[in-house]
Amino acid sequence: LFNSYGDLEVWMNLCYVYYQAGRYDLCRGEATKASHSYANRPESFYWIGMAMEKEGNEAAKENLQKAIMLGLSGDKLEMAQKLVDKL
C-alpha cells in the first residue's frame, strides 16, 4: 500500500492519530505493517513500542530500543529513552 518515504510519513501520521485516540491496537497494527516495508526506519518501531507500553506489553522496551538503534531523533528519541529507562 505504501512504498515511498512520503508514504511512510503519512502512515506514521495515521499511527499518531490512533495513538492519540487511545486506539493502541490500531496504532500497533499499522506500525507493524509499516515495519515490514520499512525495516530500516525507526518510526514504525517507535509507534509499536509506544502502543505496547500503553497496553502493558513487555516487548515495548525492545521495540523502543530498536527505534533508538535505527536513529530515532528529536522529541521521539527523548520520549523513547525515558520509557526505556522506566521499563
Side-chain angles (χ1 to χ4, degrees):
L1 178 63
F2 299 103
N3 58 13
S4 71
Y5 180 71
D7 291 338
L8 176 62
E9 187 175 352
V10 171
W11 213 344
M12 295 300 97
N13 286 339
L14 178 60
C15 291
Y16 172 79
V17 169
Y18 283 145
Y19 184 86
Q20 291 298 315
R23 291 304 310 266
Y24 308 119
D25 58 329
L26 296 176
C27 174
R28 181 178 32 78
E30 292 302 319
T32 298
K33 289 179 200 173
S35 73
H36 298 302
S37 297
Y38 300 97
N40 294 321
R41 300 291 312 207
E43 297 90 344
S44 56
F45 296 101
Y46 172 78
W47 287 116
I48 293 168
M50 293 297 289
M52 286 182 160
E53 188 272 333
K54 289 291 189 182
E55 295 171 323
N57 187 325
E58 294 178 7
K61 184 174 184 174
E62 178 183 329
N63 281 284
L64 290 169
Q65 287 173 324
K66 185 166 187 172
I68 292 167
M69 181 192 73
L70 289 172
L72 194 64
S73 62
D75 293 340
K76 289 179 181 161
L77 174 60
E78 288 181 35
M79 177 61 75
Q81 288 172 327
K82 286 179 186 176
L83 285 176
V84 165
D85 291 342
K86 177 182 137 186
L87 295 173

